[in-house]
Amino acid sequence: MEFNIEMYENLNQTEKHNIFLKELEIYLKDETDILANFSNLAAFISVFFENLNWSGFYLYKENELVLGPFCGFPATTRIAVNKGVCGAAFTKQEAIVVASVCDFPGHIACDIRSKSEVVIPLINKGKIYGVLDIDSSIHSRFTDKDVEILEKALELLYRYSDLDKLLVGKKI
Ligand code: SME
């Protein structure tokens, strides 16, 4: 399957939002390998959400959040479940939108370009499997609309991927 970035380069963010889920589902629906689906979701986010410098996953393993598939510069590999924005979203089991990372106590800086961040927990069928973490190089980048669409994308990931084959979800 060939991805043609030129099809999307002239679209505005609303137009990209509108086709993101449809295009993503084409890639997820016939793939059974979870790691492949996690990887493509990170890549799709980097294409369809403007002004990002990092998008990826931290997956719950051995009572830590361990770096999973991502797009961006090298990152911290392990985060304690009570540290950083990722640990806060995991522990609170809710999405956290950070307008300015320097205002978030305990923010873990992986990339000096990061100015704002959104972290969404991976919760499916009563288990939490980690988080989706997205950084932007501009302040206040993320909106409720972004979170809504990203959560729909995660629902697609859960629909086409048996997370328990890859991960050990923690009962919540
Ligand atoms: N900023 C995150 C750490 C992950 S790097 O940004 C990829 C945090 O504070 O948990």
Side-chain angles (χ1 to χ4, degrees), residues 54 58 75-76 79 83-87 106-111 114 117 119 133 135:
W54 203 92
Y58 280 88
T76 300
I79 299 175
K83 298 290 185 192
V85 186
C86 292
H107 167 259
I108 299 169
C110 296
D111 183 336
S114 299
E117 185 167 7
V119 182
D133 178 31
D135 288 7

mmCIF file of all heavy atoms in Angstrom, residues 54 58 75-76 79 83-87 106-111 114 117 119 133 135, ligand 1:
data_model
loop_
_atom_site.group_PDB
_atom_site.id
_atom_site.type_symbol
_atom_site.label_atom_id
_atom_site.label_comp_id
_atom_site.label_asym_id
_atom_site.label_seq_id
_atom_site.Cartn_x
_atom_site.Cartn_y
_atom_site.Cartn_z
ATOM 1 N N TRP A 54 6.393 15.136 18.162
ATOM 2 C CA TRP A 54 6.524 13.755 18.639
ATOM 3 C C TRP A 54 5.126 13.142 18.795
ATOM 4 O O TRP A 54 4.204 13.779 19.314
ATOM 5 C CB TRP A 54 7.242 13.736 19.995
ATOM 6 C CG TRP A 54 7.921 12.442 20.352
ATOM 7 C CD1 TRP A 54 9.220 12.087 20.098
ATOM 8 C CD2 TRP A 54 7.342 11.325 21.032
ATOM 9 N NE1 TRP A 54 9.480 10.828 20.588
ATOM 10 C CE2 TRP A 54 8.361 10.329 21.152
ATOM 11 C CE3 TRP A 54 6.079 11.055 21.544
ATOM 12 C CZ2 TRP A 54 8.146 9.099 21.770
ATOM 13 C CZ3 TRP A 54 5.837 9.833 22.166
ATOM 14 C CH2 TRP A 54 6.874 8.861 22.275
ATOM 15 N N TYR A 58 3.557 4.941 25.160
ATOM 16 C CA TYR A 58 4.249 4.323 26.290
ATOM 17 C C TYR A 58 3.345 3.205 26.777
ATOM 18 O O TYR A 58 2.168 3.436 27.075
ATOM 19 C CB TYR A 58 4.528 5.348 27.397
ATOM 20 C CG TYR A 58 5.744 6.193 27.098
ATOM 21 C CD1 TYR A 58 5.635 7.357 26.356
ATOM 22 C CD2 TYR A 58 7.014 5.798 27.517
ATOM 23 C CE1 TYR A 58 6.755 8.121 26.058
ATOM 24 C CE2 TYR A 58 8.141 6.556 27.221
ATOM 25 C CZ TYR A 58 7.999 7.708 26.482
ATOM 26 O OH TYR A 58 9.115 8.446 26.175
ATOM 27 N N ALA A 75 13.628 9.158 22.623
ATOM 28 C CA ALA A 75 12.879 9.581 23.815
ATOM 29 C C ALA A 75 13.244 8.739 25.021
ATOM 30 O O ALA A 75 13.844 7.671 24.893
ATOM 31 C CB ALA A 75 11.386 9.465 23.523
ATOM 32 N N THR A 76 12.861 9.225 26.161
ATOM 33 C CA THR A 76 12.975 8.485 27.425
ATOM 34 C C THR A 76 12.342 7.113 27.245
ATOM 35 O O THR A 76 11.236 7.018 26.688
ATOM 36 C CB THR A 76 12.222 9.264 28.528
ATOM 37 O OG1 THR A 76 12.826 10.554 28.646
ATOM 38 C CG2 THR A 76 12.232 8.545 29.860
ATOM 39 N N ILE A 79 9.108 5.326 32.040
ATOM 40 C CA ILE A 79 8.506 6.362 32.884
ATOM 41 C C ILE A 79 7.756 5.657 34.012
ATOM 42 O O ILE A 79 6.921 4.780 33.757
ATOM 43 C CB ILE A 79 7.549 7.250 32.077
ATOM 44 C CG1 ILE A 79 8.308 7.973 30.949
ATOM 45 C CG2 ILE A 79 6.872 8.281 32.990
ATOM 46 C CD1 ILE A 79 7.419 8.787 30.025
ATOM 47 N N LYS A 83 4.983 9.404 37.343
ATOM 48 C CA LYS A 83 5.866 10.512 36.936
ATOM 49 C C LYS A 83 5.417 11.137 35.611
ATOM 50 O O LYS A 83 4.847 10.428 34.749
ATOM 51 C CB LYS A 83 7.309 10.003 36.764
ATOM 52 C CG LYS A 83 7.936 9.455 38.040
ATOM 53 C CD LYS A 83 8.219 10.533 39.052
ATOM 54 C CE LYS A 83 8.959 9.973 40.278
ATOM 55 N NZ LYS A 83 8.995 10.958 41.381
ATOM 56 N N GLY A 84 5.710 12.389 35.440
ATOM 57 C CA GLY A 84 5.477 13.055 34.171
ATOM 58 C C GLY A 84 4.005 13.191 33.803
ATOM 59 O O GLY A 84 3.099 12.808 34.553
ATOM 60 N N VAL A 85 3.783 13.756 32.644
ATOM 61 C CA VAL A 85 2.416 13.902 32.128
ATOM 62 C C VAL A 85 1.845 12.524 31.800
ATOM 63 O O VAL A 85 0.675 12.223 32.065
ATOM 64 C CB VAL A 85 2.393 14.802 30.885
ATOM 65 C CG1 VAL A 85 0.957 15.073 30.440
ATOM 66 C CG2 VAL A 85 3.115 16.121 31.125
ATOM 67 N N CYS A 86 2.732 11.648 31.289
ATOM 68 C CA CYS A 86 2.280 10.292 30.952
ATOM 69 C C CYS A 86 1.817 9.529 32.191
ATOM 70 O O CYS A 86 0.757 8.888 32.182
ATOM 71 C CB CYS A 86 3.405 9.532 30.250
ATOM 72 S SG CYS A 86 3.793 10.164 28.614
ATOM 73 N N GLY A 87 2.625 9.623 33.250
ATOM 74 C CA GLY A 87 2.251 8.931 34.480
ATOM 75 C C GLY A 87 0.973 9.490 35.072
ATOM 76 O O GLY A 87 0.125 8.744 35.570
ATOM 77 N N GLY A 106 6.713 18.405 37.211
ATOM 78 C CA GLY A 106 7.199 17.047 36.965
ATOM 79 C C GLY A 106 7.199 16.631 35.507
ATOM 80 O O GLY A 106 7.471 15.483 35.182
ATOM 81 N N HIS A 107 6.918 17.591 34.613
ATOM 82 C CA HIS A 107 6.972 17.261 33.171
ATOM 83 C C HIS A 107 8.338 16.703 32.824
ATOM 84 O O HIS A 107 9.366 17.213 33.286
ATOM 85 C CB HIS A 107 6.707 18.522 32.339
ATOM 86 C CG HIS A 107 7.050 18.342 30.897
ATOM 87 N ND1 HIS A 107 8.219 18.827 30.332
ATOM 88 C CD2 HIS A 107 6.380 17.703 29.913
ATOM 89 C CE1 HIS A 107 8.256 18.506 29.052
ATOM 90 N NE2 HIS A 107 7.151 17.824 28.774
ATOM 91 N N ILE A 108 8.327 15.621 32.041
ATOM 92 C CA ILE A 108 9.590 15.007 31.601
ATOM 93 C C ILE A 108 9.899 15.488 30.185
ATOM 94 O O ILE A 108 9.113 15.233 29.256
ATOM 95 C CB ILE A 108 9.478 13.474 31.628
ATOM 96 C CG1 ILE A 108 9.180 12.988 33.058
ATOM 97 C CG2 ILE A 108 10.757 12.815 31.087
ATOM 98 C CD1 ILE A 108 8.782 11.521 33.129
ATOM 99 N N ALA A 109 10.996 16.198 30.036
ATOM 100 C CA ALA A 109 11.332 16.792 28.737
ATOM 101 C C ALA A 109 12.200 15.811 27.942
ATOM 102 O O ALA A 109 13.324 15.503 28.325
ATOM 103 C CB ALA A 109 12.078 18.100 28.948
ATOM 104 N N CYS A 110 11.637 15.296 26.843
ATOM 105 C CA CYS A 110 12.421 14.417 25.957
ATOM 106 C C CYS A 110 13.014 15.207 24.799
ATOM 107 O O CYS A 110 14.027 14.849 24.236
ATOM 108 C CB CYS A 110 11.517 13.323 25.381
ATOM 109 S SG CYS A 110 10.873 12.232 26.625
ATOM 110 N N ASP A 111 12.306 16.287 24.399
ATOM 111 C CA ASP A 111 12.687 17.054 23.213
ATOM 112 C C ASP A 111 12.592 18.536 23.590
ATOM 113 O O ASP A 111 11.531 19.001 24.007
ATOM 114 C CB ASP A 111 11.715 16.707 22.069
ATOM 115 C CG ASP A 111 12.054 17.391 20.758
ATOM 116 O OD1 ASP A 111 12.723 18.455 20.795
ATOM 117 O OD2 ASP A 111 11.642 16.880 19.722
ATOM 118 N N SER A 114 9.573 20.697 22.510
ATOM 119 C CA SER A 114 8.202 20.503 22.983
ATOM 120 C C SER A 114 7.725 21.664 23.849
ATOM 121 O O SER A 114 8.365 22.012 24.836
ATOM 122 C CB SER A 114 8.096 19.199 23.776
ATOM 123 O OG SER A 114 8.439 18.099 22.938
ATOM 124 N N GLU A 117 1.475 19.571 25.066
ATOM 125 C CA GLU A 117 1.408 18.093 25.039
ATOM 126 C C GLU A 117 -0.011 17.622 25.327
ATOM 127 O O GLU A 117 -0.768 18.322 26.042
ATOM 128 C CB GLU A 117 2.362 17.556 26.107
ATOM 129 C CG GLU A 117 2.519 16.053 26.161
ATOM 130 C CD GLU A 117 3.710 15.629 27.015
ATOM 131 O OE1 GLU A 117 4.347 16.475 27.664
ATOM 132 O OE2 GLU A 117 4.015 14.423 27.003
ATOM 133 N N VAL A 119 -1.790 13.797 26.434
ATOM 134 C CA VAL A 119 -1.577 12.389 26.750
ATOM 135 C C VAL A 119 -2.934 11.742 26.994
ATOM 136 O O VAL A 119 -3.750 12.276 27.758
ATOM 137 C CB VAL A 119 -0.673 12.194 27.980
ATOM 138 C CG1 VAL A 119 -0.440 10.702 28.257
ATOM 139 C CG2 VAL A 119 0.677 12.908 27.788
ATOM 140 N N ASP A 133 1.030 9.550 23.665
ATOM 141 C CA ASP A 133 1.659 10.819 24.049
ATOM 142 C C ASP A 133 1.979 11.607 22.790
ATOM 143 O O ASP A 133 2.583 11.077 21.847
ATOM 144 C CB ASP A 133 2.936 10.524 24.834
ATOM 145 C CG ASP A 133 3.689 11.783 25.228
ATOM 146 O OD1 ASP A 133 3.032 12.821 25.442
ATOM 147 O OD2 ASP A 133 4.925 11.741 25.286
ATOM 148 N N ASP A 135 3.431 15.499 21.409
ATOM 149 C CA ASP A 135 4.047 16.781 21.759
ATOM 150 C C ASP A 135 3.968 17.732 20.574
ATOM 151 O O ASP A 135 4.047 17.316 19.408
ATOM 152 C CB ASP A 135 5.539 16.591 22.080
ATOM 153 C CG ASP A 135 5.770 15.891 23.417
ATOM 154 O OD1 ASP A 135 4.787 15.440 24.024
ATOM 155 O OD2 ASP A 135 6.935 15.804 23.823
HETATM 156 N N1 SME B 1 6.691 14.513 28.257
HETATM 157 C C1 SME B 1 6.350 13.190 28.736
HETATM 158 C C2 SME B 1 7.501 12.225 28.548
HETATM 159 C C3 SME B 1 7.546 11.537 27.217
HETATM 160 S S1 SME B 1 8.487 12.488 26.032
HETATM 161 O O1 SME B 1 7.735 13.734 25.870
HETATM 162 C C4 SME B 1 8.244 11.581 24.544
HETATM 163 C C5 SME B 1 5.954 13.216 30.230
HETATM 164 O O2 SME B 1 6.133 14.256 30.896
HETATM 165 O O3 SME B 1 5.476 12.192 30.720
#
